[in-house]
Amino acid sequence: MIAIDIQRLGECSEDSDPAIAMAGQVGSQIKIRVGNSWLLASVRNQRQDRKAGSILANIDFLGEGMEEKLTGRLHGFRRGVTRYPVPGAMVYPASTSDLKQVYASDGRSAVTIGRVYPTKDIRAGIYVDAMLGKHFALLGSTGTGKSTSAALILHRICEAAPDGHIVMIDPHGEYSAAFRHTGVILDVSNLQMPYWIMNFEEHCEVILTSNGNERQIDADILARCLLKARSKSRLAETMGKITVDSPIPYLLSDLSNEIQDQMGKLDKATNSAPYMRIKNKLDELKSDPRYQFMFSGMLVADTMADFISKIFRMPSNGKPISIIDVSGVPSDITSTVVAVLSRLVFDFAIWGRDDKTTPILLVCEEAHRYVPNEKNADGNSVGTILGRIAKEGRKYGISLGLITQRPSDLAEGVLSQCGTIISMRLNNDRDQEFVRAAMPEGARGFLDAIPALRNRECIICGEGVAIPIRVSFDNLEEMKRPASEDPSFIEMWNNPGGEEDLVLRTVQRWRSQG
């Protein structure tokens, strides 16, 4: 706890240096001398001390730096505290030049994304390796500029590493506008994701329609027939032993025929209903035009290496990011498609670890859909695989970036696995509580600012920054922004005309979906 002189606080607030003018207020930085070094701390809260006529404040220590003998300036700042101050030690405001030393990059590769609040000219940088090495989360309520900020951070990473490998799962199709020039946009028209890449669990999610005891019976039948269909491939003959999960091409007609054959046998354990259920679902997948991006007869060739190169940008050819727009995928298999893509990232890293494969960053927008907490969980494999990447991805060189507006709906352990948290304004109390629990100790002074942040402002804490900071994001050029602008109702409603044609065109597209 520190005591602040009210008169001195008034003098400071008139200073031309914005850092000194803010000093002593909640969320600002102050410094305390200990021996020949300076301790830096942030102010968590304030209250008036009636007896002494001063203000009492609680502080959180951030780190310490050495003092230059001639100028008294702070340099060589490090996180963490080795010596604590004694009661009665003097407290000083931290000036802009002190903060410059603190935020100055310590030689690690960093990208700048904005300026540190409340200063005018200190650039806010994020240490890329530390941020990606231990995962990151970008949180903020709808309309706070979340997607623009995500685009800004990814653009800066792409500029720093034009040969990177970034996979972004975009459920609304809003990022394709932002990365038209620096990335490859994949949607249902050109994704061409082969169905045989799915493992057995993902096959069950797509093909089985029953639940309870019947599901287990159906799964056993599917496992038997799928293994037979996979082993008919020429590739399987050269490999010796294969399992039901091996990503080996097979023909959908082989699987269908195998189910038909098994159904005709007299010594089968059940009646014909489960076989009919699976067969009908297969026929539906083959004939429904919406599923053509995955279950087309053209996708039977062994294109696994090409598919992985295309998605992971290997080689990147100057386009390091692939935006996978799943907005056109039928809703009942969206989570399976995301599960397959996430699992490919994980399996690729595991099987490539002898070759020291290059790291991959997987960014998941609307993450609370795919890694929901227990209350909202629907038992999909996508939650399992993303949870696993959050826990173990670091060892294999996979980085996970989660973007969400509902941190309280995320699975419990996942947010705490994120080493860097970038929090924009959160309006909901439950979400604020959740972030408070996930943030490190020294950032507590900033937490009260979360509901009061402006648009395109955020608080960054954790591994990616030297100390917790409040940042105003840079303006992003128009052509690099995602298409997530809110429409102006009044403007649109006051410009009528051509509405009959619009309805006809829309109905036409609706009917010919796929």
Side-chain angles (χ1 to χ4, degrees), residues 497-511:
E499 278 148 355
E500 294 99 327
D501 297 346
L502 178 119
V503 172
L504 286 171
R505 281 200 307 274
T506 306
V507 170
Q508 186 67 39
R509 278 200 297 269
W510 196 338
R511 280 184 177 150

Side-chain angles (χ1 to χ4, degrees), residues 196-209:
W196 46 263
I197 266 186
M198 295 192 292
N199 66 14
F200 177 60
E201 190 184 348
E202 288 146 5
H203 268 90
C204 290
E205 272 175 30
V206 176
I207 295 174
L208 302 189
T209 50

Side-chain angles (χ1 to χ4, degrees), residues 390-443:
K391 292 188 189 84
E392 305 167 28
R394 219 160 37 96
K395 304 171 195 155
Y396 304 113
I398 308 172
S399 175
L400 186 62
L402 300 175
I403 305 172
T404 177
Q405 54 202 357
R406 295 303 311 269
S408 57
D409 285 352
L410 275 178
E412 208 130 289
V414 172
L415 196 59
S416 54
Q417 297 286 344
C418 293
T420 308
I421 292 182
I422 304 167
S423 177
M424 304 183 78
R425 188 173 69 244
L426 287 167
N427 303 331
N428 183 310
D429 285 352
R430 233 174 89 236
D431 291 336
Q432 290 166 23
E433 279 303 312
F434 219 74
V435 176
R436 182 168 279 132
M439 273 193 174
E441 268 296 302

